[in-house]
Every structure is written in C-alpha cells, then in structure tokens.
Amino acid sequence: MSENSLNKKSESWSGRFNEPVAELVKRYTASVDFDKRLAEFDIQGSLAHAQMLGAQGIISQADVSAIETGLNEILAEIQAGSFEWLLDLEDVHLNIEKRLTDKIGDAGKRLHTGRSRNDQVATDVRLWLRTASDAILAGIKNLQSSILELAEQHVDTIMPGFTHLQVAQPVTFGHHLMAYFEMLKRDAERFADCRKRINKLPLGAAALAGTSYPINRELVAKTLGFDGVCENSLDAVSDRDFAIEFTAASALLMTHLSRFSEELILWSSPRFAFIDIADRFCTGSSIMPQKKNPDVPELVRGKTGRVNGHLVSLLTLMKGQPLAYNKDNQEDKEPLFDTADTVLITLEIYADMLRGISVNKANMRQAALEGFATATDLADYLVKKGMPFRDAHEAVALAVKHAVNKGCDLADLPLNELQQFSSSIASDVFSVLTLEGSVASRDHIGGTAPAQVKQALQRARQLIS
Ligand code: ARG
C-alpha cells in the first residue's frame, strides 16, 4: 500500500479493514467525550517518551524538537478551548496524535515508536490519579483542620454519648469530633499508601510484551516523577488495581463523612437541637414555611452511594478480564473521574460547613442529664468500694428503675434512697453522679476527659502542621 492510500484512511489503525467502521460502532467505542480530561497528562507522557526516544537515538533530535513544539501548541489550544475534538478519532490519544501529525508531518508519526495506546493510557490514568490523590490529601487536611477548630472550642462541652442511639455515657463534644479526625487520619494514610502504587510507570510495556527498541524506561520514569517502573509488561497494561484501591479509599472516606452527616442531620433536627447549620448550607421547603433542611449533609450521605457504586463497577470491570489489555478498561475512566470529583467537592464543602456550625451547649447538656448517663459511674463507684462489678451493675439497674418510677435522675435521689440499693453508698457519691465528674474520670489516652481531649488536639495539630 502506498503512503498516499494510508493517508486517506481516517483511522490510524484502519489499513487492514475492508469497510469503514459503522457509525453506531464509532459512537459506541469512542471515549473522547470523557477521556479528553486526560489531555494534559497525555501530552506530558508523550513529551517524556519523545525525549527518551531522542536521547536513545531512536528518533532524531530534530524530530524531538518538532514534537515538543507541536505538543506545546496543542496543549495551548486545549487550554484555550480552541482544540477541535473529533469523535471519529476515537479517543484523546488519537485526537492529539492526529493534530500533531497535521502540524509537523512525519515527526508526528514517529512519536508512537516503541509505544502503544495500551501503555499510554495506563500512564495517563496514573498521572491523573496521582494529581487527584494529592488534591484529595490536601482536601482531607483542610477538613481535619476545620474539625480541630470546632473541637478546640468544645474541649469540655458535655453531650450525651450514644450506643444504639440511646444515651449511654456523657462525653465531651470535642472528643466526639476528634473521632472523625481519627477516621480522616486513616483515610489520608490510605490515599498516601495507594499513591505509592499509582506512582509507577507503565510506558515501555508497549502493547503487552515490551518493545524491541533500545528504550530507557528509567529515564521516562524520572522525567514524569514516577518512583519506578511497572516490572511486568502484561501487568502494566492490564491491571487497574491502583484505580480500584483509589476508589476503595474514596468509598471509605465518603462512608466516614456519611456517618458524620447522619449525626449532623440528627443533631440539627429540632428534636435534638444540639447544633445549628448556617443558613447558607441549608434550603427551605417550597410548601412548609417552617422548614430548614440540612441539604448538604443529606447529599454527602447520598453521594456516598454513587462512590460505593463506582467501586463495585471497577471491581466488576476487572474480574473477568484475561491478560493483557482489553477494551473493557476504557470503562474505568468515568467512575474514576466521578469518584475524584465527588470526593474533592465533598471535602471542600464539608470543611466550610463545619466552620458554619453553632453549638447549643445547654441542649446538649440537658440531653446528657436525661438518660441516666452516669449509671456506669455509679456502678464503678460501688466497685471501688469493694463490690464485684456484676453485683454493682445489678444494684444500679434497680436504682435506675426506682428513678424512672419517680421520674427523676439518679443524682436527684436523696442519699437515703440511694442507700437502699447499697449500704456502701455515702455522700461522696454525688460527685461521681455529675456529668463533669464522669467525663473527667476517663482520664487516659483515648478517653473523653477534657485533659485528654486537649492532648489529642495537640497531637492532631502537630500531625497536620
Ligand atoms: N481509549 C482506550 C482506553 O481508554 C485507549 C487504549 C486503546 N487500546 C486499544 N488497543 N484499543 O483504554
């Protein structure tokens, strides 16, 4: 086939085909509508690849210069929004390569030497995810710092701690908030750890088996800031486990924020009235004038569903694929992009929203007073006076029953009534029945005592500084 007849074909791979691809199939298989988001990284990868080809003497330095100039112009066109994306050219890679060849001729056609779209796309996705991971890590830190700001104001604000959504024991609000700081700490660790596995270079794997050109993969890795190369070509082009990990870390992060949201929704409802979420994060009802709806936390809870869904999509995408590359992998991009977009905007809005929360300390305290939250403290008091814990538990259960019948709290029972349940109860009991006494007594690392919360806050500040 002459050079001319090659140039007439619209697809760069169409030489062996006898009829053009059906229009419907083109639409079905094209990915350019969504993978154009990879353009900047595709160009970065191509520049590094071309420079390596030049350094190894595989293409001439003149070709490298032409490719550099051409790709930089294309990048500027894309950034200016003047680049014309063509569905006919299938994906981001072929669109950019065609434009390059239109601009610089044969040098553009040499760019793909020793490379395949298979290692190219895997490289692009890794570069994209590396940037997304860094943005998410910064977003987590910003949210952590917003949690700290709120927690620092509530080191000794008392609220009921719940189990089974029933008042269990008093805790400090600062301590409660710091539970989410811990969850986010692990989320950040997961993203940082996953980033290590994202940050390996697939280029050089070519279609699946490597290439016969004398390439230098380490050089490309270094240029692109990768920590090393993928060490098996078949694995490099086919597995997307790094993307699954990223989505799993995202699903967990969203799940944590979804739990937090559930609490904000409950606490801001008039039944609890523990907090108020600033108006700018809420909406009204079109029919019920009294309503102020916590839309933002509700949407965070809702969007967690779609991120969890993306995780299942990617796992399912991978599970049936034989080695090496299969077109199935093209389906990794939309779930990944949407996952990163959702996580990033959620982190940002969450940090802002927490800065707009006001706390009703009196309501929190009243709720802690109402649910026999210091019953465990009374049992512990009896144990310290020599009673076995199980007996103390039973004695306090009877005391609670008595208080329920009287319609009052344990602390409201007169000493002689309390003494009916154990003769070891003395007047010093009232100090352990107070909310302040209860929280202050849990004074060990991980406990809710204000002194401990202060130390936890200090450690946290240091961690994110
Ligand atoms: N658009 C493709 C993808 O996202 C690029 C790789 C195509 N490779 C191929 N052999 N058809 O996976």
Side-chain angles (χ1 to χ4, degrees), residues 160-409:
F162 298 89
T163 59
H164 313 274
L165 203 55
Q166 319 247 356
V167 172
Q169 292 172 354
V171 294
T172 50
F173 185 47
H175 188 59
H176 192 113
L177 289 169
M178 287 305 285
Y180 288 102
F181 183 96
E182 287 292 309
M183 292 177 224
L184 289 168
K185 187 165 99 185
R186 293 191 298 275
D187 288 321
E189 284 169 9
R190 266 184 285 272
F191 278 102
D193 199 59
C194 166
R195 189 192 189 283
K196 292 184 207 155
R197 285 175 290 280
I198 290 174
N199 205 28
K200 300 279 181 204
L201 174 78
L203 274 178
L208 74 164
T211 175
S212 57
Y213 297 98
I215 55 170
N216 181 347
R217 298 186 68 202
E218 284 71 25
L219 176 61
V220 181
K222 195 160 171 253
T223 313
L224 292 173
F226 282 111
D227 292 326
V229 303
C230 300
E231 293 188 18
N232 179 290
S233 62
L234 297 161
D235 174 49
V237 291
S238 65
D239 203 4
R240 294 292 184 267
D241 59 354
F242 60 91
I244 295 172
E245 251 188 279
F246 174 89
T247 312
S250 300
L252 268 172
L253 168 62
M254 290 298 292
T255 298
H256 289 150
L257 297 184
S258 183
R259 297 186 66 192
F260 200 172
S261 297
E262 173 66 11
E263 300 205 306
L264 296 183
I265 294 162
L266 284 172
W267 295 342
S268 65
S269 85
R271 292 281 155 173
F272 275 76
F274 284 2
I275 62 164
D276 190 54
I277 301 175
D279 287 357
R280 63 184 180 280
F281 295 99
C282 300
T283 60
S285 155
S286 51
I287 173 167
M288 297 166 283
Q290 83 282 15
K291 293 291 287 290
K292 177 174 154 183
N293 298 327
D295 290 37
V296 171
E298 285 175 14
L299 271 175
V300 171
R301 198 174 56 184
K303 283 173 190 288
T304 302
R306 73 198 259 171
V307 174
N308 290 353
H310 293 327
L311 174 59
V312 175
S313 296
L314 291 178
L315 284 166
T316 312
L317 175 71
M318 208 67 243
K319 75 177 274 292
Q321 289 193 49
L323 291 180
Y325 176 86
N326 302 279
K327 188 81 162 182
D328 311 41
N329 280 339
Q330 182 164 290
E331 288 288 310
D332 65 354
K333 289 168 202 64
E334 287 164 294
L336 265 183
F337 294 158
D338 189 67
T339 295
D341 291 345
T342 306
V343 168
L344 275 169
I345 194 167
T346 301
L347 286 168
E348 192 183 340
I349 203 165
Y350 226 91
D352 283 357
M353 179 177 64
L354 290 188
R355 294 188 171 105
I357 278 183
S358 50
V359 175
N360 190 325
K361 293 191 193 186
N363 285 350
M364 281 187 174
R365 191 186 159 77
Q366 193 50 40
L369 282 172
E370 277 164 14
F372 301 101
T374 56
T376 315
D377 296 275
L378 179 55
D380 290 342
Y381 168 89
L382 291 174
V383 168
K384 284 167 197 160
K385 300 262 171 174
M387 194 185 272
F389 181 77
R390 277 289 155 234
D391 295 342
H393 184 281
E394 183 58 15
V396 177
L398 293 172
V400 167
K401 193 170 169 188
H402 178 72
V404 169
N405 287 337
K406 279 192 80 176
C408 69
D409 189 51

Side-chain angles (χ1 to χ4, degrees), residues 31 35 90-91 93 116-118 121 240 325-327 329-330 332-333:
S31 54
D35 67 15
E90 202 178 318
D91 58 23
H93 323 290
S116 153
R117 272 188 296 157
N118 298 351
V121 70
R240 294 292 184 267
Y325 176 86
N326 302 279
K327 188 81 162 182
N329 280 339
Q330 182 164 290
D332 65 354
K333 289 168 202 64

